[in-house]
Amino acid sequence: RNVRVTGSPPTQPIYLIYGQQEALHLALEEGLEERFARHRHNHLALRAGLEALGTEYAVEEANRLPMLNAVKIPDGIDDVGVRSQLLNEFGIEIGAGLGPMKGKTWRIGLMGDSSSARNVLLFLAALGKCLADQNSATQSGAGVAAANAFYSD
C-alpha cells in the first residue's frame, strides 16, 4: 500500500541557524589558523597527560584529529564505570567506542571553546582519579603534571 505525504518539508528550527551563525562568527573572529593552532596545542597537552596516565591512542599519530581523541581503555579498567564516574562526580561526558571498538576505546572531544588548558587539566585530574579508583598502580596526578610540563615549555 502506497502512502503519500503532502505539504512542505519541515522548517529547520531558527535557533539552530542562529547558533551555527554565531559559531562561525566566533571561529572567524579568532582566526582559522589561530583556532587550528589552539586545538593542536591543547591536543598535544592532552596527549602528554593521557600517556602519563598509561593510556595509548587507538590510531596512529598521522591519523589523529586534535578535536576528537580516540584512546584505548587501559587493561583492567571498567569502561562504563569510568564514564559514569566522570559524568556523576565531575560533570564530564566522554564517548564510548562504537561498533567493533565498543568497550575498547573512549572518544574524548576537545572542540571549539572547550579546547582550553583549563578543560584539559580538569579532565586529566578527573580521569586520573577515576583510573586510580580502579587501579591502585595509577598515579592520579601524573596526567596533570605531564600536561602542565607541556604547557610550561
Side-chain angles (χ1 to χ4, degrees):
R1 180 173 198 195
N2 293 334
V3 176
R4 183 174 173 183
V5 178
T6 60
S8 61
T11 303
Q12 192 75 347
I14 193 70
Y15 63 86
L16 293 177
I17 295 168
Y18 285 134
Q20 183 178 29
Q21 180 181 359
E22 181 62 17
L24 291 170
H25 173 76
L26 291 172
L28 293 174
E29 187 176 85
E30 180 179 1
L32 293 180
E33 293 303 318
E34 292 82 2
R35 194 169 185 91
F36 298 151
R38 176 173 54 86
H39 279 83
R40 177 133 180 88
H41 188 70
N42 289 315
H43 160 75
L44 294 174
L46 178 65
R47 180 183 76 181
L50 289 170
E51 288 174 353
L53 289 171
T55 304
E56 299 176 26
Y57 273 76
V59 295
E60 295 298 320
E61 189 164 357
N63 297 320
R64 294 179 191 164
L65 299 173
M67 300 74 128
L68 186 59
N69 297 269
V71 297
K72 295 177 185 177
I73 298 169
D75 290 338
I77 297 298
D78 174 31
D79 166 31
V80 175
V82 168
R83 288 188 295 108
S84 295
Q85 186 178 4
L86 282 170
L87 185 58
N88 295 327
E89 287 186 29
F90 303 99
I92 297 172
E93 186 171 13
I94 62 173
L98 301 172
M101 301 307 284
K102 183 177 181 179
K104 298 177 184 174
T105 60
W106 289 319
R107 295 172 298 125
I108 304 164
L110 201 56
M111 303 172 203
D113 288 340
S114 72
S115 180
S116 68
R118 176 191 180 276
N119 286 343
V120 168
L121 296 172
L122 174 63
F123 172 72
L124 289 169
L127 181 63
K129 181 184 182 313
C130 294
L131 293 175
D133 286 352
Q134 289 193 22
N135 178 0
S136 60
T138 301
Q139 294 185 1
S140 64
V144 172
N148 272 326
F150 174 85
Y151 283 128
S152 294
D153 286 343

